[in-house]
Amino acid sequence: METLRTFPLNAWYAAAWSHEVGKREPLARTVCNKKMVLWRKSDSTVAALEDVCWHRLAPLSLGWLEKDNVVCRYHGLAFDGKGQCTHMPSQDKLNPQAKVHAYPVVERFRYIWVWPGDPALADPALLPDMQWNDDPAWEGDGKTMFAKCNYRLFVDNLMDLTHESFVHATSIGNKHVAEQPMTTTHSGRTVTSTRWMTDVDAPPFWRAQLGKLGNVDRWQIIRFEAPCTVVLDVGVAPTGTGAPQGDRSKGVNGRVLNTITPETETSCMYFWTLLRNYNLRDQSHTNQLREANAGIFLEDQVVVEAQQRAILENPHMPLRNLNIDAGSMRARKIVDEMIASEQRTVAA
Ligand code: FES
Ligand SMILES: [Fe+2]
């Protein structure tokens, strides 16, 4: 009987930013409880193997790279990107069984994606849509938060931006966010929650971006793609310039791309990028937005990690749901169904 887990294995997960995986040193990462070693080969493609040597189980990530192979630091066995052993010390004949698992890898949208489940099902068409990271009409940068909590607590956090009024009261939150209800729709592996706030005063962050005083129409369109990607389409436009009707040209528009990879049941890697489609090719503006957003997300991390500790301390208490939780409830339901269907397949 498989133990309970909160993440599907048959899915793509971001393991690293593209720039973090190089040709000089192996990189150790944990994705869905699986320890992996990643490196870039001479043809620039990336390899990901289970991080355990076939011989005496030393982690391969302690070793080094030689040509396109990773070499175990303990007794020097070498493994290629497919996980096959290519060298054993003091013997010419290699044991053909000397092999470790190789995870499917795709590089796209500035990230290295790995598939921890059945390699036969690893279809790149199932990558979550983070196209804005590759689109020259959008510009921005991001960071990674290594957080001590289950990844779903961050998905919940993003699916309901009501928390902005409380957690981010000095930057992006004001009372209008908590006052205005959201509408939520879903289809297949996606859930979309939309909130329009019309003729409201802009919070400090957005007023600075717009560079104008006066009331605004503000939008938050949140798209979840199972199991752990959330794209926020956010912005403001001066009231009366037609943004709710579809003309955002007088406003400022941001996209916040978030993908939150479970490491274990109580830790995750949260990769985010904040992009804008105005004032392009201004690196100091990019840096300023990245650091401002990092500060805002740190406010989330403090609350969500404390929430995780309280959940572990109170195992008898359920998480309860309000109207504001419609989006996160639907997202959890989709993920639960993915996990259940994997477990049915394993049991069959
Ligand atoms: S444990 Fe890796 S070569 Fe011996
Ligand atoms: Fe937040």
Side-chain angles (χ1 to χ4, degrees), residues 16-67:
W17 291 86
S18 284
H19 64 78
E20 292 182 292
V21 182
K23 294 177 182 167
R24 295 227 176 103
E25 282 180 6
L27 176 73
R29 284 283 147 96
T30 303
V31 175
C32 296
N33 276 332
K34 297 182 189 294
K35 294 198 169 167
M36 302 183 185
V37 55
L38 297 103
W39 75 97
R40 196 176 289 277
K41 296 179 287 179
S42 49
D43 65 359
S44 285
T45 61
V46 171
L49 302 185
E50 62 180 322
D51 192 12
V52 61
C53 179
W54 174 85
H55 177 220
R56 293 295 176 104
L57 313 193
L60 291 171
S61 57
L62 291 181
W64 58 88
L65 302 180
E66 222 170 74
K67 299 201 180 118

CSV table of all heavy atoms in Angstrom, one decimal, residues 16-67:
chain,number,residue,atom,x,y,z
A,16,ALA,N,14.7,23.5,-11.5
A,16,ALA,CA,15.7,24.6,-11.4
A,16,ALA,C,15.5,25.6,-12.5
A,16,ALA,O,14.8,25.4,-13.4
A,16,ALA,CB,17.1,24.0,-11.6
A,17,TRP,N,16.0,26.8,-12.3
A,17,TRP,CA,16.1,27.8,-13.4
A,17,TRP,C,17.1,27.2,-14.4
A,17,TRP,O,18.1,26.6,-14.0
A,17,TRP,CB,16.6,29.1,-12.8
A,17,TRP,CG,15.7,29.8,-11.9
A,17,TRP,CD1,15.6,29.7,-10.6
A,17,TRP,CD2,14.7,30.8,-12.3
A,17,TRP,NE1,14.6,30.5,-10.1
A,17,TRP,CE2,14.1,31.3,-11.1
A,17,TRP,CE3,14.4,31.4,-13.5
A,17,TRP,CZ2,13.1,32.2,-11.2
A,17,TRP,CZ3,13.4,32.4,-13.5
A,17,TRP,CH2,12.7,32.8,-12.4
A,18,SER,N,16.9,27.6,-15.6
A,18,SER,CA,17.9,27.1,-16.6
A,18,SER,C,19.3,27.5,-16.3
A,18,SER,O,20.3,26.7,-16.4
A,18,SER,CB,17.6,27.8,-18.0
A,18,SER,OG,16.5,27.1,-18.6
A,19,HIS,N,19.5,28.7,-15.8
A,19,HIS,CA,20.9,29.2,-15.5
A,19,HIS,C,21.6,28.5,-14.3
A,19,HIS,O,22.8,28.6,-14.1
A,19,HIS,CB,20.9,30.7,-15.3
A,19,HIS,CG,20.2,31.2,-14.1
A,19,HIS,ND1,20.7,31.1,-12.8
A,19,HIS,CD2,18.9,31.7,-14.0
A,19,HIS,CE1,19.8,31.6,-12.0
A,19,HIS,NE2,18.7,32.0,-12.6
A,20,GLU,N,20.8,27.7,-13.6
A,20,GLU,CA,21.3,27.1,-12.4
A,20,GLU,C,22.0,25.7,-12.8
A,20,GLU,O,22.7,25.2,-11.9
A,20,GLU,CB,20.3,26.8,-11.3
A,20,GLU,CG,19.7,28.0,-10.7
A,20,GLU,CD,18.7,27.6,-9.6
A,20,GLU,OE1,17.6,27.1,-10.0
A,20,GLU,OE2,19.0,27.8,-8.4
A,21,VAL,N,21.7,25.2,-13.9
A,21,VAL,CA,22.2,23.9,-14.3
A,21,VAL,C,23.3,24.1,-15.4
A,21,VAL,O,23.1,24.6,-16.5
A,21,VAL,CB,21.1,23.0,-14.9
A,21,VAL,CG1,21.7,21.6,-15.2
A,21,VAL,CG2,20.0,22.9,-13.9
A,22,GLY,N,24.6,23.8,-15.0
A,22,GLY,CA,25.7,24.1,-15.8
A,22,GLY,C,26.5,22.9,-16.2
A,22,GLY,O,26.1,21.7,-15.8
A,23,LYS,N,27.6,23.1,-16.9
A,23,LYS,CA,28.5,22.0,-17.4
A,23,LYS,C,29.6,21.7,-16.4
A,23,LYS,O,30.4,20.8,-16.6
A,23,LYS,CB,29.0,22.3,-18.8
A,23,LYS,CG,27.9,22.4,-19.8
A,23,LYS,CD,28.5,22.8,-21.2
A,23,LYS,CE,27.4,23.0,-22.2
A,23,LYS,NZ,27.7,23.6,-23.4
A,24,ARG,N,29.7,22.5,-15.4
A,24,ARG,CA,30.9,22.4,-14.5
A,24,ARG,C,30.7,21.5,-13.3
A,24,ARG,O,31.5,20.8,-12.9
A,24,ARG,CB,31.4,23.8,-14.0
A,24,ARG,CG,31.8,24.6,-15.1
A,24,ARG,CD,33.2,25.3,-14.8
A,24,ARG,NE,33.6,26.1,-15.9
A,24,ARG,CZ,33.5,27.4,-15.9
A,24,ARG,NH1,33.0,28.1,-14.9
A,24,ARG,NH2,34.0,28.0,-17.0
A,25,GLU,N,29.4,21.7,-12.7
A,25,GLU,CA,29.2,21.0,-11.5
A,25,GLU,C,27.8,20.4,-11.5
A,25,GLU,O,26.8,21.0,-12.0
A,25,GLU,CB,29.2,22.0,-10.3
A,25,GLU,CG,30.6,22.3,-9.9
A,25,GLU,CD,30.6,23.3,-8.8
A,25,GLU,OE1,29.5,23.7,-8.2
A,25,GLU,OE2,31.7,23.8,-8.4
A,26,PRO,N,27.6,19.2,-10.8
A,26,PRO,CA,26.3,18.6,-10.7
A,26,PRO,C,25.5,19.4,-9.7
A,26,PRO,O,26.1,20.0,-8.7
A,26,PRO,CB,26.5,17.2,-10.2
A,26,PRO,CG,27.9,17.2,-9.7
A,26,PRO,CD,28.7,18.3,-10.3
A,27,LEU,N,24.2,19.4,-9.9
A,27,LEU,CA,23.3,20.2,-8.9
A,27,LEU,C,22.3,19.1,-8.3
A,27,LEU,O,21.7,18.3,-9.0
A,27,LEU,CB,22.5,21.2,-9.7
A,27,LEU,CG,21.4,22.0,-9.0
A,27,LEU,CD1,22.0,23.0,-8.0
A,27,LEU,CD2,20.4,22.6,-9.9
A,28,ALA,N,22.2,19.2,-7.0
A,28,ALA,CA,21.3,18.3,-6.3
A,28,ALA,C,20.0,19.0,-6.0
A,28,ALA,O,19.9,20.1,-5.6
A,28,ALA,CB,21.9,17.9,-4.9
A,29,ARG,N,18.9,18.3,-6.3
A,29,ARG,CA,17.5,18.8,-6.1
A,29,ARG,C,16.6,17.7,-5.6
A,29,ARG,O,16.9,16.5,-5.9
A,29,ARG,CB,16.9,19.5,-7.3
A,29,ARG,CG,17.5,20.8,-7.7
A,29,ARG,CD,16.9,21.9,-6.7
A,29,ARG,NE,17.9,23.0,-6.4
A,29,ARG,CZ,17.9,24.2,-7.0
A,29,ARG,NH1,17.2,24.4,-8.1
A,29,ARG,NH2,18.8,25.1,-6.6
A,30,THR,N,15.6,18.0,-4.8
A,30,THR,CA,14.6,17.0,-4.4
A,30,THR,C,13.3,17.4,-5.0
A,30,THR,O,12.8,18.6,-4.8
A,30,THR,CB,14.5,17.0,-2.9
A,30,THR,OG1,15.8,16.7,-2.4
A,30,THR,CG2,13.5,15.9,-2.4
A,31,VAL,N,12.7,16.5,-5.7
A,31,VAL,CA,11.4,16.8,-6.4
A,31,VAL,C,10.5,15.6,-6.0
A,31,VAL,O,10.8,14.4,-6.3
A,31,VAL,CB,11.5,16.9,-7.9
A,31,VAL,CG1,10.1,17.0,-8.5
A,31,VAL,CG2,12.4,18.1,-8.2
A,32,CYS,N,9.3,15.9,-5.4
A,32,CYS,CA,8.4,14.8,-5.0
A,32,CYS,C,9.0,13.7,-4.2
A,32,CYS,O,8.8,12.5,-4.6
A,32,CYS,CB,7.6,14.3,-6.2
A,32,CYS,SG,6.6,15.5,-7.0
A,33,ASN,N,9.8,14.1,-3.2
A,33,ASN,CA,10.5,13.1,-2.4
A,33,ASN,C,11.6,12.3,-3.1
A,33,ASN,O,12.1,11.3,-2.6
A,33,ASN,CB,9.5,12.1,-1.8
A,33,ASN,CG,8.9,12.6,-0.5
A,33,ASN,OD1,9.5,13.4,0.2
A,33,ASN,ND2,7.7,12.1,-0.2
A,34,LYS,N,11.9,12.7,-4.4
A,34,LYS,CA,12.9,12.0,-5.1
A,34,LYS,C,14.2,12.8,-5.2
A,34,LYS,O,14.1,14.0,-5.7
A,34,LYS,CB,12.4,11.6,-6.5
A,34,LYS,CG,11.3,10.6,-6.4
A,34,LYS,CD,10.7,10.2,-7.7
A,34,LYS,CE,9.5,9.4,-7.6
A,34,LYS,NZ,9.6,8.1,-6.9
A,35,LYS,N,15.3,12.3,-4.7
A,35,LYS,CA,16.5,13.1,-4.8
A,35,LYS,C,17.1,12.9,-6.2
A,35,LYS,O,17.2,11.8,-6.7
A,35,LYS,CB,17.5,12.6,-3.7
A,35,LYS,CG,16.9,13.0,-2.4
A,35,LYS,CD,18.0,13.0,-1.3
A,35,LYS,CE,17.4,13.6,0.0
A,35,LYS,NZ,18.1,13.4,1.1
A,36,MET,N,17.5,14.0,-6.8
A,36,MET,CA,18.0,14.0,-8.2
A,36,MET,C,19.3,14.7,-8.3
A,36,MET,O,19.6,15.6,-7.5
A,36,MET,CB,17.0,14.7,-9.1
A,36,MET,CG,15.6,14.1,-9.1
A,36,MET,SD,14.6,14.9,-10.3
A,36,MET,CE,13.0,14.1,-9.9
A,37,VAL,N,20.1,14.3,-9.3
A,37,VAL,CA,21.3,15.1,-9.7
A,37,VAL,C,21.1,15.5,-11.1
A,37,VAL,O,20.7,14.7,-12.0
A,37,VAL,CB,22.6,14.2,-9.4
A,37,VAL,CG1,22.5,12.9,-10.2
A,37,VAL,CG2,23.8,15.0,-9.8
A,38,LEU,N,21.4,16.8,-11.3
A,38,LEU,CA,21.2,17.4,-12.7
A,38,LEU,C,22.5,18.0,-13.2
A,38,LEU,O,23.3,18.5,-12.4
A,38,LEU,CB,20.1,18.5,-12.6
A,38,LEU,CG,18.7,18.1,-12.2
A,38,LEU,CD1,18.4,18.5,-10.8
A,38,LEU,CD2,17.7,18.7,-13.1
A,39,TRP,N,22.7,17.9,-14.5
A,39,TRP,CA,23.9,18.6,-15.1
A,39,TRP,C,23.6,18.8,-16.5
A,39,TRP,O,22.7,18.2,-17.1
A,39,TRP,CB,25.2,17.8,-14.8
A,39,TRP,CG,25.4,16.6,-15.7
A,39,TRP,CD1,26.1,16.5,-16.8
A,39,TRP,CD2,24.9,15.3,-15.4
A,39,TRP,NE1,26.1,15.2,-17.3
A,39,TRP,CE2,25.4,14.4,-16.4
A,39,TRP,CE3,24.1,14.7,-14.4
A,39,TRP,CZ2,25.1,13.1,-16.5
A,39,TRP,CZ3,23.9,13.4,-14.4
A,39,TRP,CH2,24.3,12.5,-15.5
A,40,ARG,N,24.4,19.7,-17.1
A,40,ARG,CA,24.2,20.0,-18.6
A,40,ARG,C,25.3,19.3,-19.4
A,40,ARG,O,26.5,19.4,-19.0
A,40,ARG,CB,24.2,21.5,-18.7
A,40,ARG,CG,23.7,22.0,-20.1
A,40,ARG,CD,23.7,23.5,-20.1
A,40,ARG,NE,22.7,24.1,-19.3
A,40,ARG,CZ,21.4,24.3,-19.6
A,40,ARG,NH1,21.0,23.9,-20.7
A,40,ARG,NH2,20.6,24.9,-18.7
A,41,LYS,N,24.9,18.7,-20.4
A,41,LYS,CA,25.9,17.9,-21.3
A,41,LYS,C,26.5,18.9,-22.3
A,41,LYS,O,26.0,20.0,-22.5
A,41,LYS,CB,25.2,16.7,-21.9
A,41,LYS,CG,24.7,15.7,-20.8
A,41,LYS,CD,24.0,14.5,-21.4
A,41,LYS,CE,22.7,14.9,-21.9
A,41,LYS,NZ,21.9,13.9,-22.5
A,42,SER,N,27.4,18.3,-23.1
A,42,SER,CA,28.1,19.2,-24.1
A,42,SER,C,27.2,19.6,-25.2
A,42,SER,O,27.4,20.7,-25.8
A,42,SER,CB,29.3,18.5,-24.7
A,42,SER,OG,29.0,17.2,-25.1
A,43,ASP,N,26.1,18.9,-25.5
A,43,ASP,CA,25.1,19.4,-26.5
A,43,ASP,C,24.1,20.3,-25.9
A,43,ASP,O,23.1,20.7,-26.5
A,43,ASP,CB,24.4,18.2,-27.1
A,43,ASP,CG,23.5,17.4,-26.2
A,43,ASP,OD1,23.5,17.8,-25.0
A,43,ASP,OD2,22.9,16.4,-26.6
A,44,SER,N,24.3,20.7,-24.6
A,44,SER,CA,23.5,21.7,-23.9
A,44,SER,C,22.2,21.1,-23.4
A,44,SER,O,21.4,21.8,-22.7
A,44,SER,CB,23.2,23.0,-24.7
A,44,SER,OG,24.3,23.7,-24.7
A,45,THR,N,21.9,19.9,-23.7
A,45,THR,CA,20.7,19.3,-23.0
A,45,THR,C,21.0,18.9,-21.6
A,45,THR,O,22.2,18.8,-21.2
A,45,THR,CB,20.2,18.0,-23.8
A,45,THR,OG1,21.2,17.0,-23.8
A,45,THR,CG2,19.8,18.4,-25.2
A,46,VAL,N,20.0,18.8,-20.8
A,46,VAL,CA,20.2,18.5,-19.3
A,46,VAL,C,19.8,17.1,-19.0
A,46,VAL,O,18.9,16.5,-19.5
A,46,VAL,CB,19.3,19.5,-18.5
A,46,VAL,CG1,19.3,19.2,-17.0
A,46,VAL,CG2,19.8,20.9,-18.7
A,47,ALA,N,20.6,16.5,-18.1
A,47,ALA,CA,20.4,15.1,-17.6
A,47,ALA,C,19.9,15.2,-16.2
A,47,ALA,O,20.4,16.1,-15.4
A,47,ALA,CB,21.6,14.3,-17.7
A,48,ALA,N,19.0,14.3,-15.8
A,48,ALA,CA,18.6,14.2,-14.4
A,48,ALA,C,18.6,12.7,-14.0
A,48,ALA,O,17.8,12.0,-14.6
A,48,ALA,CB,17.2,14.8,-14.2
A,49,LEU,N,19.4,12.3,-13.1
A,49,LEU,CA,19.4,10.9,-12.6
A,49,LEU,C,19.0,10.9,-11.1
A,49,LEU,O,19.1,11.9,-10.4
A,49,LEU,CB,20.8,10.4,-12.7
A,49,LEU,CG,21.5,10.3,-14.0
A,49,LEU,CD1,22.9,9.6,-13.9
A,49,LEU,CD2,20.7,9.7,-15.1
A,50,GLU,N,18.6,9.7,-10.7
A,50,GLU,CA,18.4,9.6,-9.2
A,50,GLU,C,19.8,9.7,-8.6
A,50,GLU,O,20.8,9.3,-9.1
A,50,GLU,CB,17.7,8.2,-8.9
A,50,GLU,CG,18.5,7.0,-9.2
A,50,GLU,CD,17.8,5.7,-8.8
A,50,GLU,OE1,17.1,5.7,-7.8
A,50,GLU,OE2,17.9,4.8,-9.6
A,51,ASP,N,19.7,10.4,-7.4
A,51,ASP,CA,21.0,10.9,-6.8
A,51,ASP,C,21.5,9.8,-5.9
A,51,ASP,O,21.7,10.0,-4.7
A,51,ASP,CB,20.7,12.2,-6.1
A,51,ASP,CG,22.0,12.8,-5.7
A,51,ASP,OD1,23.1,12.4,-6.2
A,51,ASP,OD2,22.0,13.8,-4.9
A,52,VAL,N,21.8,8.6,-6.4
A,52,VAL,CA,22.3,7.6,-5.6
A,52,VAL,C,23.1,6.6,-6.5
A,52,VAL,O,22.7,6.2,-7.5
A,52,VAL,CB,21.1,6.8,-4.9
A,52,VAL,CG1,20.1,6.2,-5.8
A,52,VAL,CG2,21.7,5.8,-3.9
A,53,CYS,N,24.3,6.4,-6.1
A,53,CYS,CA,25.2,5.5,-6.9
A,53,CYS,C,24.8,4.1,-6.8
A,53,CYS,O,24.4,3.6,-5.8
A,53,CYS,CB,26.7,5.7,-6.4
A,53,CYS,SG,27.8,4.7,-7.3
A,54,TRP,N,24.9,3.4,-8.0
A,54,TRP,CA,24.5,2.0,-8.0
A,54,TRP,C,25.4,1.1,-7.1
A,54,TRP,O,24.9,0.1,-6.6
A,54,TRP,CB,24.6,1.6,-9.5
A,54,TRP,CG,24.4,0.1,-9.8
A,54,TRP,CD1,23.2,-0.5,-10.0
A,54,TRP,CD2,25.4,-0.9,-9.9
A,54,TRP,NE1,23.4,-1.9,-10.2
A,54,TRP,CE2,24.8,-2.1,-10.1
A,54,TRP,CE3,26.8,-0.9,-9.8
A,54,TRP,CZ2,25.5,-3.3,-10.3
A,54,TRP,CZ3,27.5,-2.1,-9.9
A,54,TRP,CH2,26.8,-3.3,-10.2
A,55,HIS,N,26.6,1.5,-6.9
A,55,HIS,CA,27.6,0.7,-6.2
A,55,HIS,C,27.3,0.6,-4.7
A,55,HIS,O,26.7,-0.3,-4.2
A,55,HIS,CB,29.0,1.2,-6.5
A,55,HIS,CG,30.1,0.5,-5.7
A,55,HIS,ND1,31.1,1.1,-5.2
A,55,HIS,CD2,30.2,-0.8,-5.4
A,55,HIS,CE1,31.9,0.2,-4.6
A,55,HIS,NE2,31.4,-1.0,-4.7
A,56,ARG,N,27.5,1.7,-4.0
A,56,ARG,CA,27.3,1.7,-2.5
A,56,ARG,C,26.4,2.8,-2.0
A,56,ARG,O,26.5,3.2,-0.9
A,56,ARG,CB,28.7,1.7,-1.8
A,56,ARG,CG,29.5,0.5,-2.0
A,56,ARG,CD,28.8,-0.7,-1.3
A,56,ARG,NE,29.5,-2.0,-1.6
A,56,ARG,CZ,30.3,-2.6,-0.7
A,56,ARG,NH1,30.5,-2.0,0.5
A,56,ARG,NH2,30.9,-3.7,-0.9
A,57,LEU,N,25.7,3.4,-3.0
A,57,LEU,CA,24.6,4.3,-2.7
A,57,LEU,C,25.1,5.7,-2.3
A,57,LEU,O,24.3,6.5,-1.7
A,57,LEU,CB,23.6,3.8,-1.7
A,57,LEU,CG,23.1,2.4,-1.9
A,57,LEU,CD1,21.9,2.1,-1.0
A,57,LEU,CD2,22.7,2.1,-3.4
A,58,ALA,N,26.3,6.1,-2.5
A,58,ALA,CA,26.7,7.5,-2.2
A,58,ALA,C,26.0,8.4,-3.2
A,58,ALA,O,25.7,8.0,-4.3
A,58,ALA,CB,28.2,7.6,-2.4
A,59,PRO,N,25.6,9.6,-2.7
A,59,PRO,CA,24.9,10.5,-3.6
A,59,PRO,C,25.8,10.9,-4.8
A,59,PRO,O,27.0,11.4,-4.5
A,59,PRO,CB,24.6,11.7,-2.7
A,59,PRO,CG,24.6,11.2,-1.3
A,59,PRO,CD,25.7,10.1,-1.3
A,60,LEU,N,25.3,10.8,-6.0
A,60,LEU,CA,26.1,11.2,-7.2
A,60,LEU,C,26.4,12.7,-7.2
A,60,LEU,O,27.4,13.1,-7.7
A,60,LEU,CB,25.4,10.8,-8.4
A,60,LEU,CG,25.4,9.2,-8.6
A,60,LEU,CD1,24.5,8.9,-9.8
A,60,LEU,CD2,26.7,8.7,-8.8
A,61,SER,N,25.5,13.5,-6.6
A,61,SER,CA,25.7,14.9,-6.6
A,61,SER,C,27.0,15.4,-5.8
A,61,SER,O,27.4,16.5,-5.9
A,61,SER,CB,24.5,15.6,-6.0
A,61,SER,OG,24.2,15.2,-4.7
A,62,LEU,N,27.5,14.5,-5.0
A,62,LEU,CA,28.8,14.8,-4.3
A,62,LEU,C,30.0,14.7,-5.3
A,62,LEU,O,31.1,15.1,-4.9
A,62,LEU,CB,29.1,13.8,-3.1
A,62,LEU,CG,28.1,13.9,-1.9
A,62,LEU,CD1,28.5,12.9,-0.9
A,62,LEU,CD2,28.2,15.3,-1.4
A,63,GLY,N,29.8,14.1,-6.4
A,63,GLY,CA,30.8,13.8,-7.4
A,63,GLY,C,31.1,15.0,-8.3
A,63,GLY,O,30.8,16.2,-8.0
A,64,TRP,N,31.7,14.7,-9.5
A,64,TRP,CA,32.0,15.7,-10.4
A,64,TRP,C,31.7,15.3,-11.8
A,64,TRP,O,31.3,14.1,-12.1
A,64,TRP,CB,33.5,16.1,-10.3
A,64,TRP,CG,34.4,14.9,-10.6
A,64,TRP,CD1,34.9,14.5,-11.7
A,64,TRP,CD2,34.9,14.1,-9.6
A,64,TRP,NE1,35.7,13.4,-11.6
A,64,TRP,CE2,35.8,13.1,-10.2
A,64,TRP,CE3,34.8,14.0,-8.2
A,64,TRP,CZ2,36.4,12.1,-9.6
A,64,TRP,CZ3,35.5,12.9,-7.5
A,64,TRP,CH2,36.3,12.0,-8.2
A,65,LEU,N,31.8,16.2,-12.8
A,65,LEU,CA,31.5,15.9,-14.2
A,65,LEU,C,32.7,15.7,-15.0
A,65,LEU,O,33.8,16.3,-14.8
A,65,LEU,CB,30.7,17.1,-14.8
A,65,LEU,CG,29.4,17.5,-14.1
A,65,LEU,CD1,28.7,18.7,-14.8
A,65,LEU,CD2,28.4,16.3,-14.0
A,66,GLU,N,32.7,14.7,-15.8
A,66,GLU,CA,33.8,14.3,-16.7
A,66,GLU,C,33.2,14.0,-18.1
A,66,GLU,O,32.4,13.1,-18.2
A,66,GLU,CB,34.5,13.1,-16.2
A,66,GLU,CG,36.0,13.3,-16.2
A,66,GLU,CD,36.7,12.1,-15.5
A,66,GLU,OE1,36.7,11.0,-16.0
A,66,GLU,OE2,37.1,12.4,-14.3
A,67,LYS,N,33.5,14.8,-19.1
A,67,LYS,CA,32.8,14.8,-20.4
A,67,LYS,C,31.3,14.9,-20.1
A,67,LYS,O,30.9,15.8,-19.4
A,67,LYS,CB,33.2,13.5,-21.1
A,67,LYS,CG,34.7,13.5,-21.4
A,67,LYS,CD,35.0,12.5,-22.5
A,67,LYS,CE,36.5,12.5,-22.7
A,67,LYS,NZ,37.1,11.2,-22.5
